[in-house]
């Protein structure tokens, strides 16, 4: 969720690959499918879209995400292309003590750090300029 939100908050969007190791090797989706009870790619995509819709809303999920399943090096991976959001995407959750939080993530190189609270106003005014 953090990475999808960060891509959505970025100026250019981005692409998340599932089934690709940090080394860049395509490892496939078998383990991901197994986590859902030996699902196939259709069930996996539905699961992802449900998670994203719950976290970010149906408007962002339907309008800003493109999910595909290309074959790389003989294995199927999942590619999620994220277009820049029209409004800031805030990730909500609860910490280990059950205390709620809201966080704004951005892309910085190949990572998705949390935007420091003191920098949020300047970022929002630059990234989401009034029309």
């Amino acid at each position: 969720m953090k990475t999808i939100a960060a891509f959505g908050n970025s100026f250019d969007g981005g692409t998340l690959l599932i089934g690709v190791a940090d080394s860049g090797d395509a490892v496939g989706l078998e383990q991901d499918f197994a986590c859902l009870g030996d699902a196939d790619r259709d069930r996996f995509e539905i699961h992802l879209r449900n998670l994203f819709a719950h976290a970010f809303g149906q408007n962002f999920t339907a309008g800003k995400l493109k999910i595909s399943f290309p074959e790389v090096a003989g294995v199927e991976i999942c590619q999620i292309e994220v277009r820049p959001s029209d409004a800031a995407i805030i990730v909500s959750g609860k910490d280990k003590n059950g205390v709620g939080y809201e966080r704004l993530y951005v892309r910085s190189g190949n990572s998705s750090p949390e935007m420091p609270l003191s920098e949020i106003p300047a970022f929002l005014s630059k990234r989401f300029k009034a029309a």
Side-chain angles (χ1 to χ4, degrees), residues 41-104:
R41 76 174 171 192
D42 289 334
R43 189 163 160 221
F44 185 67
E45 181 175 351
I46 288 169
H47 176 71
L48 289 175
R49 288 191 176 279
N50 286 337
L51 290 174
F52 298 145
H54 179 74
F56 310 125
Q58 200 60 261
N59 185 44
F60 176 79
T61 301
K64 301 294 183 180
L65 300 180
K66 179 183 176 192
I67 301 174
S68 60
F69 294 87
E71 189 172 303
V72 176
V75 295
E76 186 174 52
I77 66 166
C78 179
Q79 178 175 315
I80 305 172
E81 296 176 44
V82 184
R83 294 189 2 229
S85 178
D86 299 327
I89 298 173
I90 306 299
V91 175
S92 301
K94 293 187 189 253
D95 67 15
K96 63 183 176 184
N97 298 315
V99 177
Y101 64 79
E102 292 183 334
R103 297 190 175 134
L104 177 79

Side-chain angles (χ1 to χ4, degrees), residues 33-44:
F33 290 168
C35 289
L36 295 175
D38 213 23
D40 59 13
R41 76 174 171 192
D42 289 334
R43 189 163 160 221
F44 185 67

